[in-house]
Amino acid sequence: VSGLQLRESNFVRNVLNTLDRTSFNPTQLQVELTEATLVDEQVSINDIFAELRSHGIKIAIDDFGTGFSSFSYLQRFSFDVLKLDRSLICRLGSSARAQVVVGSMQHLAERLDFKIIAEGVETVKEMRILRDIGCHGAQGYLFSRPLELVDWKFLDHTEPYLLPELDSSYHI
Protein backbone atom coordinates (compact mmCIF):
# COMPACT_ATOMS: atom_id res chain seq x y z
CA VAL A 1 0.00 0.00 0.00
CA SER A 2 1.36 3.39 -0.89
CA GLY A 3 1.27 6.44 1.34
CA LEU A 4 -1.13 8.03 -1.13
CA GLN A 5 -3.58 5.13 -0.76
CA LEU A 6 -3.26 5.18 3.03
CA ARG A 7 -4.15 8.90 3.10
CA GLU A 8 -7.46 8.28 1.31
CA SER A 9 -10.28 8.91 3.77
CA ASN A 10 -12.11 5.78 2.65
CA PHE A 11 -9.09 3.46 2.59
CA VAL A 12 -10.26 1.09 5.35
CA ARG A 13 -13.82 1.08 4.06
CA ASN A 14 -12.57 0.21 0.55
CA VAL A 15 -10.49 -2.68 1.90
CA LEU A 16 -13.43 -4.03 3.92
CA ASN A 17 -15.86 -3.61 1.01
CA THR A 18 -13.48 -5.51 -1.27
CA LEU A 19 -13.22 -8.31 1.28
CA ASP A 20 -17.01 -8.50 1.54
CA ARG A 21 -17.52 -8.39 -2.23
CA THR A 22 -14.99 -11.18 -2.84
CA SER A 23 -15.86 -13.25 0.27
CA PHE A 24 -12.16 -13.20 1.11
CA ASN A 25 -11.33 -14.08 4.71
CA PRO A 26 -9.78 -10.96 6.30
CA THR A 27 -7.51 -13.11 8.49
CA GLN A 28 -5.81 -14.25 5.29
CA LEU A 29 -4.96 -10.69 4.21
CA GLN A 30 -1.72 -8.94 5.03
CA VAL A 31 -1.39 -5.28 4.09
CA GLU A 32 2.22 -4.29 3.42
CA LEU A 33 3.62 -0.80 3.38
CA THR A 34 7.16 0.46 3.20
CA GLU A 35 8.69 2.13 6.20
CA ALA A 36 8.90 5.35 4.16
CA THR A 37 5.10 5.51 4.46
CA LEU A 38 5.49 5.74 8.24
CA VAL A 39 7.41 9.00 7.89
CA ASP A 40 4.24 10.70 6.64
CA GLU A 41 2.38 11.90 9.74
CA GLN A 42 -0.54 13.41 7.76
CA VAL A 43 -2.79 10.47 8.64
CA SER A 44 -3.31 8.68 11.90
CA ILE A 45 -1.53 5.51 10.88
CA ASN A 46 -2.04 3.77 14.20
CA ASP A 47 -5.82 4.35 13.98
CA ILE A 48 -5.86 2.83 10.49
CA PHE A 49 -3.71 -0.10 11.64
CA ALA A 50 -5.96 -0.67 14.66
CA GLU A 51 -9.11 -0.69 12.56
CA LEU A 52 -7.65 -3.11 10.01
CA ARG A 53 -6.29 -5.37 12.75
CA SER A 54 -9.68 -5.37 14.53
CA HIS A 55 -10.98 -7.21 11.45
CA GLY A 56 -8.15 -9.75 11.58
CA ILE A 57 -6.10 -8.12 8.81
CA LYS A 58 -2.35 -8.31 9.40
CA ILE A 59 -0.04 -5.32 8.93
CA ALA A 60 3.51 -5.72 7.62
CA ILE A 61 6.28 -3.15 7.37
CA ASP A 62 8.30 -3.91 4.25
CA ASP A 63 11.99 -3.25 3.52
CA PHE A 64 12.93 -2.47 7.13
CA GLY A 65 16.61 -1.64 7.38
CA THR A 66 16.88 0.77 4.48
CA GLY A 67 16.27 4.43 3.97
CA PHE A 68 14.29 5.90 6.82
CA SER A 69 14.69 3.00 9.28
CA SER A 70 14.10 4.05 12.81
CA PHE A 71 13.73 2.05 15.98
CA SER A 72 11.16 4.62 17.05
CA TYR A 73 8.77 2.98 14.53
CA LEU A 74 8.93 -0.15 16.65
CA GLN A 75 7.63 1.87 19.61
CA ARG A 76 5.13 4.10 17.83
CA PHE A 77 3.33 1.76 15.45
CA SER A 78 1.35 -1.40 16.05
CA PHE A 79 1.90 -4.05 13.38
CA ASP A 80 2.22 -7.81 13.00
CA VAL A 81 5.20 -8.40 10.72
CA LEU A 82 8.52 -6.64 10.15
CA LYS A 83 10.13 -7.63 6.87
CA LEU A 84 13.91 -7.25 7.01
CA ASP A 85 15.41 -5.92 3.80
CA ARG A 86 17.83 -8.03 1.77
CA SER A 87 20.62 -5.58 2.67
CA LEU A 88 20.48 -6.99 6.23
CA ILE A 89 20.31 -10.62 5.05
CA CYS A 90 22.94 -10.79 2.31
CA ARG A 91 25.92 -10.71 4.71
CA LEU A 92 24.66 -13.37 7.13
CA GLY A 93 26.92 -16.05 5.67
CA SER A 94 30.09 -14.01 5.96
CA SER A 95 29.65 -11.59 8.84
CA ALA A 96 29.23 -12.26 12.54
CA ARG A 97 28.09 -8.64 12.91
CA ALA A 98 25.26 -9.23 10.43
CA GLN A 99 24.19 -12.25 12.46
CA VAL A 100 24.19 -10.16 15.64
CA VAL A 101 22.07 -7.45 14.00
CA VAL A 102 19.49 -9.88 12.62
CA GLY A 103 19.53 -11.89 15.86
CA SER A 104 18.92 -8.70 17.83
CA MET A 105 16.00 -7.82 15.56
CA GLN A 106 14.56 -11.29 16.18
CA HIS A 107 14.94 -10.82 19.93
CA LEU A 108 13.14 -7.46 19.70
CA ALA A 109 10.38 -9.08 17.65
CA GLU A 110 9.78 -11.69 20.33
CA ARG A 111 9.66 -9.05 23.07
CA LEU A 112 7.41 -6.68 21.07
CA ASP A 113 5.08 -9.46 19.83
CA PHE A 114 5.56 -9.28 16.08
CA LYS A 115 7.13 -11.61 13.56
CA ILE A 116 10.28 -11.15 11.50
CA ILE A 117 10.34 -12.17 7.85
CA ALA A 118 13.68 -12.14 6.03
CA GLU A 119 13.54 -10.81 2.48
CA GLY A 120 15.93 -11.73 -0.29
CA VAL A 121 17.09 -15.11 1.00
CA GLU A 122 19.21 -16.61 -1.76
CA THR A 123 21.32 -19.33 -0.13
CA VAL A 124 20.75 -22.38 2.03
CA LYS A 125 23.41 -21.01 4.40
CA GLU A 126 21.40 -17.81 4.91
CA MET A 127 18.27 -19.84 5.55
CA ARG A 128 20.01 -22.09 8.08
CA ILE A 129 21.35 -19.07 9.96
CA LEU A 130 17.89 -17.47 9.95
CA ARG A 131 16.36 -20.69 11.26
CA ASP A 132 18.99 -20.90 14.01
CA ILE A 133 18.34 -17.26 14.94
CA GLY A 134 14.62 -18.07 15.21
CA CYS A 135 13.37 -16.04 12.27
CA HIS A 136 9.67 -16.66 11.59
CA GLY A 137 9.78 -16.74 7.80
CA ALA A 138 11.68 -15.96 4.65
CA GLN A 139 11.19 -15.10 1.02
CA GLY A 140 13.60 -14.86 -1.84
CA TYR A 141 15.15 -16.52 -4.85
CA LEU A 142 16.14 -19.57 -2.80
CA PHE A 143 12.46 -20.49 -2.80
CA SER A 144 11.38 -19.13 -6.17
CA ARG A 145 11.65 -16.26 -8.59
CA PRO A 146 8.52 -14.07 -8.67
CA LEU A 147 5.66 -16.05 -10.21
CA GLU A 148 2.33 -15.38 -11.80
CA LEU A 149 -0.55 -16.84 -9.79
CA VAL A 150 -1.18 -19.51 -12.42
CA ASP A 151 2.44 -20.73 -12.09
CA TRP A 152 2.39 -20.58 -8.28
CA LYS A 153 -0.48 -23.06 -8.21
CA PHE A 154 1.77 -25.69 -9.80
CA LEU A 155 4.54 -25.51 -7.19
CA ASP A 156 5.02 -28.56 -5.01
CA HIS A 157 3.84 -27.09 -1.71
CA THR A 158 4.73 -30.28 0.17
CA GLU A 159 8.44 -29.51 -0.08
CA PRO A 160 9.46 -28.06 3.30
CA TYR A 161 11.90 -25.55 1.82
CA LEU A 162 9.04 -23.89 -0.06
CA LEU A 163 6.99 -23.23 3.06
CA PRO A 164 7.15 -19.64 4.32
CA GLU A 165 7.53 -20.49 8.00
CA LEU A 166 10.99 -21.39 9.26
CA ASP A 167 10.99 -23.73 12.21
CA SER A 168 13.19 -26.39 13.73
CA SER A 169 11.50 -29.14 11.70
CA TYR A 170 13.26 -28.11 8.52
CA HIS A 171 15.89 -30.46 7.20
CA ILE A 172 18.01 -29.19 4.35
Side-chain angles (χ1 to χ4, degrees), residues 138-157:
Q139 65 186 57
Y141 288 162
L142 176 64
F143 308 104
S144 174
R145 299 279 183 190
L147 298 172
E148 297 291 328
L149 179 59
V150 69
D151 297 325
W152 181 84
K153 292 177 181 178
F154 293 107
L155 282 178
D156 181 359
H157 297 283

Side-chain angles (χ1 to χ4, degrees), residues 45-76:
I45 293 174
N46 265 332
D47 291 343
I48 293 169
F49 286 0
E51 188 170 356
L52 291 170
R53 292 176 83 210
S54 75
H55 293 279
I57 298 167
K58 294 171 192 64
I59 307 295
I61 307 303
D62 196 21
D63 298 332
F64 192 82
T66 63
F68 299 103
S69 288
S70 172
F71 281 99
S72 70
Y73 297 153
L74 305 180
Q75 294 176 8
R76 292 177 21 215

Side-chain angles (χ1 to χ4, degrees), residues 2 9 25 27 35 46-47 74 100 117 120 137 154 156 158 166 169:
S2 73
S9 62
N25 182 347
T27 64
E35 61 180 287
N46 265 332
D47 291 343
L74 305 180
V100 169
I117 304 295
F154 293 107
D156 181 359
T158 62
L166 296 178
S169 67

